[in-house]
Amino acid sequence: MKLPAFLKTECFVGGKWVSASSGARFEVNDPATGNTIATVPRMGASETNEAIEVADAAFADWSSRTAGDRALVLNAWAAAMREHSEELAQLLTLEQGKPLSESRVEVEYAASFFSWFAEEGRRLYGDIIPPHQKDTRILVTRNPLGVVGGITPWNFPVAMVARKAAPALAAGNCMVLKPAEATPLSALAVAALGEMAGVPAGVFNVVTGAREDSPSIGKALIDSSRVRKIGFTGSTGVGKQLMRECAGDLTKISLELGGNAAFIVFDDADIDAALDGVQICKYRNSGQTCIAANRIFVQESIHDKFVEALCDRARQIRVGHGLEPTTEQGPLIDHRGLEKVERLV
């Protein structure tokens, strides 16, 4: 593939592309081959605090704009993603591994968040509440919080960035985003497209870090008095830790954590429809979704027939590099993911 012009290998802070103060970097690899695609900065607490400061400085202007003005920017961001959807999908596949067909769907899914919340921002209505005494009027207005910290996973590295940024920015907040260490290039590309679309400097910032840097970046976001909310998508264990740390000063937090879904097939089910459902729930993104079917329960009278049919379908799945047009399932994200699946088997 030809790498897109908006591929960035530096972090985006205050409208500038910057390196870590130490100069340290880490590799981003193609999970299908193990080859290094690029290197990006290993940032830590000091760089995160700098990003928080510039986001806080940008907040006064961004929050004072009308919802319509902010909607124009978010809609332009969505349009930029759609205009460059093929290049963005190829980059997503290269660093995450999923088939290109799935990446194309994800890019449109991501753009839809900006389109949707651009319009939802216009509808942040307040309330007039019936008073408790006759000489009182109670009005409730909705105001942006300030700086929001976003922490996103590697399984949907474009969509989850948009899912965090779009509602936060539509409401007038500014954001400091920490993407997953396995897939930072997609987040940086989304930031570059936002820059092209006219997102003001400091409104959306991205700091990258290796696995070892994540605790210090997360702690800097949580400990800062300027960060008023944290949004996290990831594992239940990390989510619990973040909630404990946010409790100290009652920092608001939204968590989207791991699932443990069961797929249940009764003997009156349409077997072909059930098999279609299993293929989507279990094999989409190589099973690396929070709503993947972790257990499949089949009623005894149809159990053997169902297992045989599912095995037949599984044998037909074409596995390969996600950029190959015939690939239906790509690699797992890394060796840790592979080892986990092998332990389960």
Side-chain angles (χ1 to χ4, degrees):
M1 64 170 285
K2 180 181 178 182
L3 293 175
F6 53 81
L7 170 64
K8 300 293 183 180
T9 57
E10 305 297 337
C11 291
F12 191 59
V13 177
K16 299 177 181 178
W17 297 97
V18 297
S19 299
S21 56
S22 66
R25 305 179 71 83
F26 67 98
E27 295 180 350
V28 182
N29 298 318
D30 176 352
T33 65
N35 295 336
T36 298
I37 307 167
T39 64
V40 296
R42 286 189 60 175
M43 291 195 160
S46 62
E47 293 93 344
T48 304
N49 284 322
E50 291 173 11
I52 293 169
E53 288 180 12
V54 299
D56 188 54
F59 174 69
D61 171 68
W62 183 246
S63 61
S64 66
R65 298 190 184 198
T66 66
D69 287 342
R70 294 195 293 266
L72 290 174
V73 175
L74 295 184
N75 276 321
W77 203 347
M81 291 181 67
R82 292 186 171 109
E83 180 182 354
H84 298 281
S85 60
E86 186 63 19
E87 303 123 285
L88 187 55
Q90 289 182 9
L91 177 62
L92 195 168
T93 289
L94 189 62
E95 72 167 348
Q96 199 276 338
K98 68 180 62 177
L100 189 55
S101 58
E102 292 187 25
S103 293
R104 289 173 178 140
V105 172
E106 180 178 338
V107 170
E108 173 53 35
Y109 181 47
S112 74
F113 284 117
F114 288 113
S115 299
W116 173 270
F117 284 104
E119 302 310 314
E120 283 296 286
R122 303 175 194 267
R123 289 182 278 273
L124 287 173
Y125 304 134
D127 297 293
I128 300 176
I129 299 173
H132 60 287
Q133 55 192 49
K134 62 183 181 181
D135 60 346
T136 301
R137 176 180 293 177
I138 303 175
L139 306 175
V140 176
T141 60
R142 299 182 185 276
N143 300 311
L145 290 167
V147 180
V148 175
I151 304 172
T152 54
W154 48 260
N155 57 346
F156 293 93
V158 172
M160 292 300 101
V161 171
R163 193 167 177 168
K164 293 285 184 288
L169 271 59
N173 302 293
C174 297
M175 172 164 277
V176 177
L177 180 89
K178 192 278 178 189
E181 62 275 1
T183 55
L185 299 177
S186 292
L188 294 171
V190 171
L193 291 169
E195 182 185 29
M196 292 165 55
V199 177
V203 170
F204 182 71
N205 308 274
V206 181
V207 294
T208 62
R211 183 182 297 273
E212 299 82 3
D213 307 314
S214 296
S216 61
I217 293 174
K219 183 172 173 52
L221 289 171
I222 291 171
D223 288 351
S224 173
S225 60
R226 294 185 175 94
V227 176
R228 306 299 299 278
K229 178 164 183 171
I230 299 291
F232 171 77
T233 299
S235 72
T236 302
V238 174
K240 289 179 178 180
Q241 180 63 31
L242 290 174
M243 179 171 272
R244 282 192 291 267
E245 294 176 1
C246 285
D249 57 2
L250 297 179
T251 298
K252 297 176 184 294
I253 185 168
S254 293
L255 300 171
E256 181 188 17
L257 308 179
N260 192 21
F263 193 102
I264 305 173
V265 186
F266 292 105
D267 60 7
D268 62 349
D270 180 326
I271 298 298
D272 286 334
L275 289 165
D276 290 343
V278 168
Q279 278 198 267
I280 294 171
C281 291
K282 186 70 242 179
Y283 293 100
R284 177 190 177 205
N285 198 14
S286 299
Q288 300 170 130
T289 74
C290 60
I291 57 172
N294 288 2
R295 294 155 293 151
I296 302 171
F297 293 108
V298 183
Q299 197 158 356
E300 188 173 17
S301 60
I302 62 168
H303 173 273
D304 292 349
K305 177 182 177 182
F306 188 89
V307 169
E308 182 180 355
L310 180 58
C311 289
D312 286 341
R313 287 199 178 202
R315 294 186 190 100
Q316 297 173 36
I317 295 173
R318 293 188 290 270
V319 179
H321 196 294
L323 292 177
E324 296 172 359
T326 59
T327 294
E328 296 174 317
Q329 182 171 303
L332 294 170
I333 188 64
D334 55 23
H335 285 290
R336 291 162 58 95
L338 175 62
E339 290 165 2
K340 179 180 180 181
V341 170
E342 288 177 337
R343 285 198 305 272
L344 291 172
V345 172

